[in-house]
Amino acid sequence: MAKSSSSSTLSATLPPLVAVLTLLLVAALPKAHAARAFFVFGDSLVDNGNNNYLLTTARADSPPYGIDFPTHRPTGRFSNGLNIPDLISQKLGSEPTLPYLSPELDGNKLLVGANFASAGIGVLNDTGIQFANIIRITQQLQNFLAYQARVSAMIGPDRTERLVNKALVLITLGGNDFVNNYFLAPITARRLQYSIPQFTKYVISEYRNILMKLFDLGARRILVTGSGPLGCVPSQLASRGANGQCASEPQQASALFNPQLVQMIQGLNQELGSDYFVAVNAMLMQNDFISNPRAFGFITSKMACCGQGPFNGVGICNPTSNLCPDRDIYVFWDPFHPTERANKIIVETIYTGSDKYMYPMNLSTIMAMDSMT
């Protein structure tokens, strides 16, 4: 009897009961499919290189950025190697998303998703004005709409809608609204306008509006990241900290911002009737290894690997900066951003963390649930 790859031919040549069982087994086999699309919005923690294409000082396109990237060259990521979106793409079993402004983002690459993030931006449009030409979050959402039009021209509106609805979305905002706006100088317009609690409440309300716009554009699985422990980054230790202690005002802002973000997301999900949004408590995640770095294999959570001045926290990382020989034992790569190894710990917590860190569920739970639909 000749072998056949057709299930109908196979059923015709087997006893009826065996044929039925065989067809059921064939139907139960997992169907080959591409990894779900992945979309990224936000600031320098998740920018994969959009700012390389802009006239701005908020760039990471010169050495030693990228020193531990597979190519050992700067890519525009604010990291010594991979950043958080890269590591989430690995969890999805997908290639990294390309920057939206990259000329390589075309054809089938569009179906992988896109990274719309831009270093320096915040929830508020006046955040990061010192960086001049950056892609503010309102423009990132406009770019997402334009992206959908491009994909729709390729695969049609119905398939595009399904691709977007089933995609994973990451949005990371908030830190710059404090560090590069409210606390930018001893006296700022926002400081004169708001107390820290008032400003935090305002940023949360504006963040909520952004999330609703993202939902209106079709996003349905959205990881929403708050700020890290802002007062403990090397830049703040150098400029505001006393005797190596975390700066009190930015820490107060983080301590207010992250719980309010979780509460806001709880309210949004209740209003919409489903757990579309997932709060990523970045402050608690990073506090673990900042407060006890040696428990995670780091030697320091105060000194940046690349920089100058106290704690290597002054200015920016550049080719003339001090550079540590072993990035894996530092929590911070530069005055503001985690090392690749710290990012790996963060993403592992996003993937498997308890509801202390991921509310109402972690990424592995999301992927397991969505694989059944």
Side-chain angles (χ1 to χ4, degrees), residues 180-246:
N180 280 311
N181 188 334
Y182 192 87
F183 296 120
L184 183 61
I187 299 175
T188 62
R190 292 301 190 182
R191 266 188 184 270
L192 294 172
Q193 188 177 13
Y194 297 109
S195 67
I196 294 174
Q198 289 169 338
F199 184 69
T200 303
K201 188 175 181 180
Y202 173 55
V203 173
I204 289 288
S205 69
E206 291 298 306
Y207 206 164
R208 187 187 189 280
N209 293 338
I210 290 161
L211 295 181
M212 282 306 301
K213 288 174 185 172
L214 199 49
F215 181 83
D216 291 343
L217 289 171
R220 294 295 180 270
R221 281 294 191 206
I222 306 147
L223 304 177
V224 185
T225 306
S227 74
L230 297 173
C232 298
V233 300
S235 70
Q236 295 301 298
L237 293 180
S239 62
R240 296 172 173 277
N243 302 316
Q245 299 303 305
C246 299

Side-chain angles (χ1 to χ4, degrees), residues 1 40 83 90 99 171 237 242 247 258 292 302 315 332 346 362:
M1 181 178 70
V40 180
N83 66 5
Q90 289 181 0
I171 182 165
L237 293 180
N258 287 283
N292 191 3
K302 297 183 183 296
F332 287 101
I346 292 168
N362 60 36

Side-chain angles (χ1 to χ4, degrees), residues 16 18 63 150 157 205 207 210 223 232 239 245 256 289 306 318 322 325-326:
V18 177
R150 290 175 67 190
S205 69
Y207 206 164
I210 290 161
L223 304 177
C232 298
S239 62
Q245 299 303 305
L256 291 170
F289 51 75
C306 180
N318 61 59
N322 303 318
D326 184 358

Side-chain angles (χ1 to χ4, degrees), residues 82-120:
L82 302 178
N83 66 5
I84 289 170
D86 295 323
L87 297 164
I88 290 178
S89 289
Q90 289 181 0
K91 294 292 187 186
L92 297 177
S94 181
E95 60 189 276
T97 53
L98 288 170
Y100 178 72
L101 297 184
S102 170
E104 295 177 32
L105 185 66
D106 201 13
N108 285 336
K109 294 278 188 186
L110 286 163
L111 306 183
V112 176
N115 187 312
F116 299 91
S118 177

Side-chain angles (χ1 to χ4, degrees), residues 166-185:
K166 291 182 176 297
L168 182 71
V169 177
L170 172 68
I171 182 165
T172 298
L173 291 172
N176 282 331
D177 294 290
F178 295 97
V179 174
N180 280 311
N181 188 334
Y182 192 87
F183 296 120
L184 183 61

